[in-house]
PDB file of all heavy atoms in Angstrom:
ATOM      1  N   SER A 102     -13.157   2.670  45.434  1.00 95.00           N
ATOM      2  CA  SER A 102     -12.214   1.834  46.173  1.00 95.00           C
ATOM      3  C   SER A 102     -10.763   2.260  45.971  1.00 95.00           C
ATOM      4  O   SER A 102      -9.949   2.148  46.898  1.00 95.00           O
ATOM      5  CB  SER A 102     -12.381   0.358  45.791  1.00 95.00           C
ATOM      6  OG  SER A 102     -12.108   0.152  44.416  1.00 95.00           O
ATOM      7  N   ARG A 103     -10.417   2.741  44.785  1.00 96.00           N
ATOM      8  CA  ARG A 103      -9.035   3.150  44.517  1.00 96.00           C
ATOM      9  C   ARG A 103      -8.766   4.587  44.966  1.00 96.00           C
ATOM     10  O   ARG A 103      -7.624   5.048  44.917  1.00 96.00           O
ATOM     11  CB  ARG A 103      -8.719   3.024  43.021  1.00 96.00           C
ATOM     12  CG  ARG A 103      -8.764   1.607  42.474  1.00 96.00           C
ATOM     13  CD  ARG A 103      -7.838   0.688  43.219  1.00 96.00           C
ATOM     14  NE  ARG A 103      -7.542  -0.514  42.467  1.00 96.00           N
ATOM     15  CZ  ARG A 103      -7.513  -1.722  42.965  1.00 96.00           C
ATOM     16  NH1 ARG A 103      -7.813  -1.896  44.238  1.00 96.00           N
ATOM     17  NH2 ARG A 103      -7.195  -2.770  42.228  1.00 96.00           N
ATOM     18  N   LEU A 104      -9.803   5.282  45.404  1.00 96.00           N
ATOM     19  CA  LEU A 104      -9.642   6.666  45.831  1.00 96.00           C
ATOM     20  C   LEU A 104      -9.446   6.789  47.326  1.00 96.00           C
ATOM     21  O   LEU A 104      -8.873   7.771  47.807  1.00 96.00           O
ATOM     22  CB  LEU A 104     -10.868   7.488  45.411  1.00 96.00           C
ATOM     23  CG  LEU A 104     -11.224   7.464  43.919  1.00 96.00           C
ATOM     24  CD1 LEU A 104     -12.470   8.301  43.674  1.00 96.00           C
ATOM     25  CD2 LEU A 104     -10.072   7.949  43.060  1.00 96.00           C
ATOM     26  N   ILE A 105      -9.920   5.811  48.074  1.00 96.00           N
ATOM     27  CA  ILE A 105      -9.907   5.929  49.535  1.00 96.00           C
ATOM     28  C   ILE A 105      -8.703   5.246  50.172  1.00 96.00           C
ATOM     29  O   ILE A 105      -8.506   5.367  51.375  1.00 96.00           O
ATOM     30  CB  ILE A 105     -11.210   5.377  50.144  1.00 96.00           C
ATOM     31  CG1 ILE A 105     -11.353   3.876  49.866  1.00 96.00           C
ATOM     32  CG2 ILE A 105     -12.415   6.142  49.635  1.00 96.00           C
ATOM     33  CD1 ILE A 105     -12.573   3.233  50.528  1.00 96.00           C
ATOM     34  N   ILE A 106      -7.906   4.541  49.362  1.00 96.00           N
ATOM     35  CA  ILE A 106      -6.720   3.892  49.923  1.00 96.00           C
ATOM     36  C   ILE A 106      -5.489   4.788  49.716  1.00 96.00           C
ATOM     37  O   ILE A 106      -5.488   5.679  48.871  1.00 96.00           O
ATOM     38  CB  ILE A 106      -6.479   2.496  49.312  1.00 96.00           C
ATOM     39  CG1 ILE A 106      -6.293   2.582  47.788  1.00 96.00           C
ATOM     40  CG2 ILE A 106      -7.619   1.567  49.668  1.00 96.00           C
ATOM     41  CD1 ILE A 106      -5.975   1.248  47.142  1.00 96.00           C
ATOM     42  N   SER A 107      -4.457   4.526  50.481  1.00 97.00           N
ATOM     43  CA  SER A 107      -3.244   5.346  50.409  1.00 97.00           C
ATOM     44  C   SER A 107      -2.483   5.083  49.116  1.00 97.00           C
ATOM     45  O   SER A 107      -2.678   4.063  48.444  1.00 97.00           O
ATOM     46  CB  SER A 107      -2.327   5.019  51.600  1.00 97.00           C
ATOM     47  OG  SER A 107      -1.826   3.694  51.481  1.00 97.00           O
ATOM     48  N   ASP A 108      -1.590   6.014  48.782  1.00 97.00           N
ATOM     49  CA  ASP A 108      -0.737   5.825  47.612  1.00 97.00           C
ATOM     50  C   ASP A 108       0.088   4.547  47.748  1.00 97.00           C
ATOM     51  O   ASP A 108       0.274   3.810  46.769  1.00 97.00           O
ATOM     52  CB  ASP A 108       0.211   7.015  47.443  1.00 97.00           C
ATOM     53  CG  ASP A 108      -0.499   8.266  46.959  1.00 97.00           C
ATOM     54  OD1 ASP A 108      -1.700   8.180  46.613  1.00 97.00           O
ATOM     55  OD2 ASP A 108       0.145   9.339  46.933  1.00 97.00           O
ATOM     56  N   GLU A 109       0.573   4.301  48.931  1.00 97.00           N
ATOM     57  CA  GLU A 109       1.410   3.111  49.151  1.00 97.00           C
ATOM     58  C   GLU A 109       0.624   1.832  48.901  1.00 97.00           C
ATOM     59  O   GLU A 109       1.118   0.890  48.269  1.00 97.00           O
ATOM     60  CB  GLU A 109       1.973   3.118  50.576  1.00 97.00           C
ATOM     61  CG  GLU A 109       2.988   4.205  50.864  1.00 97.00           C
ATOM     62  CD  GLU A 109       2.367   5.582  51.051  1.00 97.00           C
ATOM     63  OE1 GLU A 109       1.124   5.664  51.250  1.00 97.00           O
ATOM     64  OE2 GLU A 109       3.116   6.575  50.996  1.00 97.00           O
ATOM     65  N   LYS A 110      -0.613   1.797  49.403  1.00 98.00           N
ATOM     66  CA  LYS A 110      -1.437   0.610  49.207  1.00 98.00           C
ATOM     67  C   LYS A 110      -1.781   0.435  47.741  1.00 98.00           C
ATOM     68  O   LYS A 110      -1.698  -0.685  47.205  1.00 98.00           O
ATOM     69  CB  LYS A 110      -2.722   0.751  50.042  1.00 98.00           C
ATOM     70  CG  LYS A 110      -3.693  -0.422  49.894  1.00 98.00           C
ATOM     71  CD  LYS A 110      -3.117  -1.714  50.439  1.00 98.00           C
ATOM     72  CE  LYS A 110      -4.150  -2.812  50.426  1.00 98.00           C
ATOM     73  NZ  LYS A 110      -3.590  -4.099  50.907  1.00 98.00           N
ATOM     74  N   LEU A 111      -2.159   1.515  47.070  1.00 98.00           N
ATOM     75  CA  LEU A 111      -2.492   1.417  45.651  1.00 98.00           C
ATOM     76  C   LEU A 111      -1.289   0.963  44.843  1.00 98.00           C
ATOM     77  O   LEU A 111      -1.413   0.090  43.975  1.00 98.00           O
ATOM     78  CB  LEU A 111      -3.001   2.770  45.136  1.00 98.00           C
ATOM     79  CG  LEU A 111      -3.355   2.818  43.653  1.00 98.00           C
ATOM     80  CD1 LEU A 111      -4.440   1.795  43.313  1.00 98.00           C
ATOM     81  CD2 LEU A 111      -3.798   4.226  43.254  1.00 98.00           C
ATOM     82  N   ALA A 112      -0.120   1.518  45.126  1.00 97.00           N
ATOM     83  CA  ALA A 112       1.085   1.134  44.392  1.00 97.00           C
ATOM     84  C   ALA A 112       1.412  -0.340  44.601  1.00 97.00           C
ATOM     85  O   ALA A 112       1.860  -1.023  43.669  1.00 97.00           O
ATOM     86  CB  ALA A 112       2.257   2.008  44.822  1.00 97.00           C
ATOM     87  N   SER A 113       1.181  -0.836  45.808  1.00 97.00           N
ATOM     88  CA  SER A 113       1.484  -2.239  46.084  1.00 97.00           C
ATOM     89  C   SER A 113       0.551  -3.174  45.333  1.00 97.00           C
ATOM     90  O   SER A 113       0.917  -4.312  45.014  1.00 97.00           O
ATOM     91  CB  SER A 113       1.396  -2.515  47.588  1.00 97.00           C
ATOM     92  OG  SER A 113       0.045  -2.496  48.042  1.00 97.00           O
ATOM     93  N   ILE A 114      -0.664  -2.698  45.009  1.00 97.00           N
ATOM     94  CA  ILE A 114      -1.624  -3.528  44.280  1.00 97.00           C
ATOM     95  C   ILE A 114      -1.340  -3.491  42.792  1.00 97.00           C
ATOM     96  O   ILE A 114      -1.066  -4.513  42.164  1.00 97.00           O
ATOM     97  CB  ILE A 114      -3.074  -3.071  44.559  1.00 97.00           C
ATOM     98  CG1 ILE A 114      -3.432  -3.275  46.026  1.00 97.00           C
ATOM     99  CG2 ILE A 114      -4.048  -3.834  43.656  1.00 97.00           C
ATOM    100  CD1 ILE A 114      -4.766  -2.663  46.422  1.00 97.00           C
ATOM    101  N   ILE A 115      -1.400  -2.300  42.196  1.00 97.00           N
ATOM    102  CA  ILE A 115      -1.303  -2.217  40.731  1.00 97.00           C
ATOM    103  C   ILE A 115       0.136  -2.385  40.236  1.00 97.00           C
ATOM    104  O   ILE A 115       0.349  -2.583  39.047  1.00 97.00           O
ATOM    105  CB  ILE A 115      -1.924  -0.914  40.195  1.00 97.00           C
ATOM    106  CG1 ILE A 115      -1.188   0.323  40.715  1.00 97.00           C
ATOM    107  CG2 ILE A 115      -3.398  -0.851  40.557  1.00 97.00           C
ATOM    108  CD1 ILE A 115      -1.727   1.626  40.144  1.00 97.00           C
ATOM    109  N   GLY A 116       1.098  -2.338  41.156  1.00 96.00           N
ATOM    110  CA  GLY A 116       2.475  -2.600  40.778  1.00 96.00           C
ATOM    111  C   GLY A 116       2.905  -4.036  41.002  1.00 96.00           C
ATOM    112  O   GLY A 116       4.043  -4.408  40.680  1.00 96.00           O
ATOM    113  N   HIS A 117       1.996  -4.866  41.523  1.00 96.00           N
ATOM    114  CA  HIS A 117       2.324  -6.271  41.809  1.00 96.00           C
ATOM    115  C   HIS A 117       2.507  -7.039  40.507  1.00 96.00           C
ATOM    116  O   HIS A 117       1.801  -6.803  39.521  1.00 96.00           O
ATOM    117  CB  HIS A 117       1.206  -6.891  42.640  1.00 96.00           C
ATOM    118  CG  HIS A 117       1.562  -8.200  43.269  1.00 96.00           C
ATOM    119  ND1 HIS A 117       1.586  -9.388  42.569  1.00 96.00           N
ATOM    120  CD2 HIS A 117       1.903  -8.511  44.542  1.00 96.00           C
ATOM    121  CE1 HIS A 117       1.933 -10.374  43.376  1.00 96.00           C
ATOM    122  NE2 HIS A 117       2.134  -9.866  44.589  1.00 96.00           N
ATOM    123  N   GLU A 118       3.433  -7.979  40.500  1.00 96.00           N
ATOM    124  CA  GLU A 118       3.729  -8.738  39.283  1.00 96.00           C
ATOM    125  C   GLU A 118       2.553  -9.599  38.816  1.00 96.00           C
ATOM    126  O   GLU A 118       2.493  -9.976  37.636  1.00 96.00           O
ATOM    127  CB  GLU A 118       4.958  -9.616  39.497  1.00 96.00           C
ATOM    128  CG  GLU A 118       4.792 -10.682  40.583  1.00 96.00           C
ATOM    129  CD  GLU A 118       6.050 -11.507  40.782  1.00 96.00           C
ATOM    130  OE1 GLU A 118       7.051 -11.244  40.070  1.00 96.00           O
ATOM    131  OE2 GLU A 118       6.037 -12.419  41.636  1.00 96.00           O
TER     132      GLU A 118
END
Side-chain angles (χ1 to χ4, degrees):
S102 62
R103 296 303 199 223
L104 304 179
I105 64 176
I106 59 177
S107 67
D108 287 352
E109 292 76 15
K110 178 65 173 178
L111 179 59
S113 72
I114 296 172
I115 63 177
H117 194 282
E118 63 181 0

